[in-house]
Amino acid sequence: MTKMMKFKVDTRSTVELVKITSQVQNAVSDSGMKDGICVVFCPHTTAAITINEGADPSVVDDMRMELNKIIPFEDGYHHLEGNSAAHIKTTLVGPSEMIIVEDGRLQLGTWQSIFFCEFDGPRHRSVWVKLMPDE
Amino acid sequence: MTKMMKFKVDTRSTVELVKITSQVQNAVSDSGMKDGICVVFCPHTTAAITINEGADPSVVDDMRMELNKIIPFEDGYHHLEGNSAAHIKTTLVGPSEMIIVEDGRLQLGTWQSIFFCEFDGPRHRSVWVKLMPDE
Amino acid sequence: MTKMMKFKVDTRSTVELVKITSQVQNAVSDSGMKDGICVVFCPHTTAAITINEGADPSVVDDMRMELNKIIPFEDGYHHLEGNSAAHIKTTLVGPSEMIIVEDGRLQLGTWQSIFFCEFDGPRHRSVWVKLMPDE
């Protein structure tokens, strides 16, 4: 149970929020952990993890549109790879989230889903999950 | 000690930062935990948790003003509920914080307080606290 | 192993991202912890912790430039100390990160480094590291 688990996410757009709640729940279920903390970590520097509304897809559409506006793709950046905006979005959203687990279930609010945030896709990506059980 | 604890926060404005350090410290004290980590988690999609200066109220006033400017309330959003700005602020600030606990006390820097960030109030809100004791 | 560890960071500019991966790895190595979670916490209200690309210095240069543009140094703030922009950046980037540890090594993606983000320097700063071992 102590080793981290990994799963893949294949993204299809430059900027895309992909719901990963079920993959994270599967990792918890497969581990047999009942109570503790689940850490979801993104090992990339142009992608991040967030928790937000998963019911109405227009929420993540608005988020994508507004993040692209706040951190423009082109803005006199010097990094030659041309993806500085993706790096900056990653730092603002952050590389990880932690979720409480009780009785084998991720404890999320009614409207909360976990999202993988692609900021420089499409790409083949990984997500790492680490479980910290009580006692 | 392993179950999460919950407390309520009632907000009074659309955007408001409410200091919750004492409620979080009370949860730690009630648990009897001496050393470990305290996770503070917001189960809402239009509210977040942050740690910042709690001494001069003008700091959170400036933060509220500037966040409303960076992520405008109206900006051609498509989400029909009309609160997309609140969802976007939530992802940028983040749904949780973790604080080190030693000898039963939250370990915070001299000027740090824990804040509940309301972005779509006024509402009745919940905060979840999970403790991960050493050993 | 249960006490937090601390190290110093001396910054030299107003806004500066300082790579601290090796100091954090040293804390893990000194503790003897093999597997678990490493929490890196910044006890200041005008500085933060992030994880991003450490290979090409132009990435953090672009990040510094763009954060200064998104959250301007002067913008009609009321806080008399004159560093409201630094407080706002701190809340957006966040005061901590957590990193999975396996076999005594921080588990980071190929391009990931841990950075101390100074937003109101130059100053003498502290970083706190807390380890949560498996079992």
Side-chain angles (χ1 to χ4, degrees):
Chain A
M1 190 196 291
T2 57
K3 281 278 163 201
M4 68 163 128
M5 282 160 288
K6 300 181 181 187
F7 63 86
K8 299 281 179 201
V9 176
D10 288 335
T11 59
R12 286 172 290 186
S13 314
T14 308
V15 175
E16 183 183 356
L17 278 81
V18 182
K19 221 184 285 186
I20 57 170
T21 314
S22 64
Q23 290 96 313
V24 178
Q25 177 59 57
N26 287 345
V28 173
S29 300
D30 290 352
S31 77
M33 182 177 88
K34 288 294 169 215
D35 300 288
I37 289 280
C38 172
V39 174
V40 182
F41 184 89
C42 174
H44 308 286
T45 56
T46 53
I49 306 292
T50 194
I51 294 174
N52 214 303
E53 188 188 312
D56 180 353
S58 69
V59 171
V60 296
D61 286 349
D62 286 344
M63 194 171 306
R64 203 173 50 179
M65 180 272 289
E66 191 66 15
L67 289 177
N68 292 345
K69 208 160 169 176
I70 296 168
I71 307 112
F73 287 104
E74 304 291 340
D75 204 13
Y77 304 121
H78 293 297
H79 181 45
L80 291 174
E81 239 187 300
N83 59 357
S84 283
H87 287 290
I88 298 160
K89 285 166 179 163
T90 295
T91 273
L92 290 176
V93 174
S96 66
E97 293 295 350
M98 53 197 160
I99 304 107
I100 301 166
V101 176
E102 291 201 341
D103 204 23
R105 305 296 305 172
L106 293 170
Q107 299 300 299
L108 291 166
T110 314
W111 304 103
Q112 286 181 319
S113 293
I114 310 168
F115 289 92
F116 179 88
C117 307
E118 173 65 79
F119 294 129
D120 192 34
R123 293 209 201 192
H124 301 292
R125 300 293 205 171
S126 294
V127 176
W128 297 352
V129 177
K130 170 76 179 176
L131 302 176
M132 298 295 288
D134 293 345
E135 315 300 298
Chain B
M1 190 197 289
T2 58
K3 282 278 162 200
M4 67 164 128
M5 282 160 287
K6 302 180 180 188
F7 62 85
K8 300 279 179 202
V9 176
D10 288 335
T11 60
R12 285 172 292 186
S13 314
T14 309
V15 175
E16 183 182 356
L17 278 82
V18 183
K19 220 182 287 185
I20 56 170
T21 313
S22 64
Q23 289 96 313
V24 178
Q25 178 59 56
N26 287 345
V28 173
S29 300
D30 290 351
S31 78
M33 182 176 87
K34 287 294 168 214
D35 299 289
I37 289 281
C38 173
V39 174
V40 182
F41 185 89
C42 174
H44 308 287
T45 57
T46 53
I49 307 292
T50 195
I51 295 174
N52 214 304
E53 188 187 312
D56 179 354
S58 69
V59 171
V60 297
D61 287 348
D62 286 344
M63 193 170 308
R64 203 173 49 179
M65 181 273 287
E66 192 65 16
L67 289 178
N68 292 345
K69 208 160 169 176
I70 296 169
I71 307 112
F73 286 104
E74 303 292 338
D75 205 11
Y77 305 121
H78 292 297
H79 181 46
L80 291 176
E81 238 187 301
N83 60 356
S84 283
H87 287 291
I88 297 160
K89 285 166 179 163
T90 295
T91 273
L92 290 176
V93 174
S96 65
E97 294 295 349
M98 54 197 159
I99 303 107
I100 301 165
V101 176
E102 292 200 341
D103 204 23
R105 306 296 306 172
L106 294 170
Q107 299 299 299
L108 291 165
T110 314
W111 304 104
Q112 286 182 319
S113 295
I114 310 169
F115 289 93
F116 180 89
C117 307
E118 174 63 80
F119 294 129
D120 192 35
R123 293 208 201 193
H124 301 293
R125 300 293 205 171
S126 293
V127 176
W128 297 352
V129 177
K130 170 75 179 176
L131 302 177
M132 299 294 289
D134 293 346
E135 319 295 299
Chain C
M1 190 196 289
T2 56
K3 281 278 162 200
M4 67 163 129
M5 281 160 289
K6 301 181 179 186
F7 62 86
K8 299 280 179 202
V9 176
D10 288 336
T11 60
R12 286 172 290 184
S13 314
T14 309
V15 176
E16 183 182 356
L17 279 80
V18 182
K19 220 183 287 185
I20 57 170
T21 313
S22 65
Q23 291 95 313
V24 178
Q25 177 59 56
N26 287 345
V28 173
S29 301
D30 290 351
S31 77
M33 182 176 87
K34 287 295 168 214
D35 299 288
I37 289 280
C38 172
V39 174
V40 181
F41 185 89
C42 173
H44 308 287
T45 57
T46 53
I49 307 292
T50 194
I51 294 174
N52 214 304
E53 187 187 312
D56 179 354
S58 69
V59 171
V60 297
D61 287 349
D62 287 343
M63 194 172 307
R64 202 173 50 180
M65 182 271 289
E66 191 65 16
L67 289 177
N68 291 346
K69 207 159 170 177
I70 296 169
I71 307 110
F73 287 103
E74 302 292 339
D75 204 13
Y77 305 121
H78 292 297
H79 182 45
L80 291 175
E81 237 187 302
N83 58 358
S84 283
H87 287 290
I88 298 160
K89 287 167 178 163
T90 295
T91 273
L92 290 176
V93 174
S96 65
E97 294 294 350
M98 54 196 159
I99 304 107
I100 301 166
V101 176
E102 292 200 341
D103 204 23
R105 305 297 304 173
L106 294 170
Q107 299 299 299
L108 291 165
T110 313
W111 304 104
Q112 286 181 319
S113 294
I114 310 169
F115 288 92
F116 180 88
C117 306
E118 173 64 78
F119 295 129
D120 192 35
R123 293 208 201 194
H124 301 293
R125 301 293 204 171
S126 293
V127 176
W128 297 353
V129 178
K130 170 75 179 178
L131 301 176
M132 298 294 288
D134 293 346
E135 319 293 300

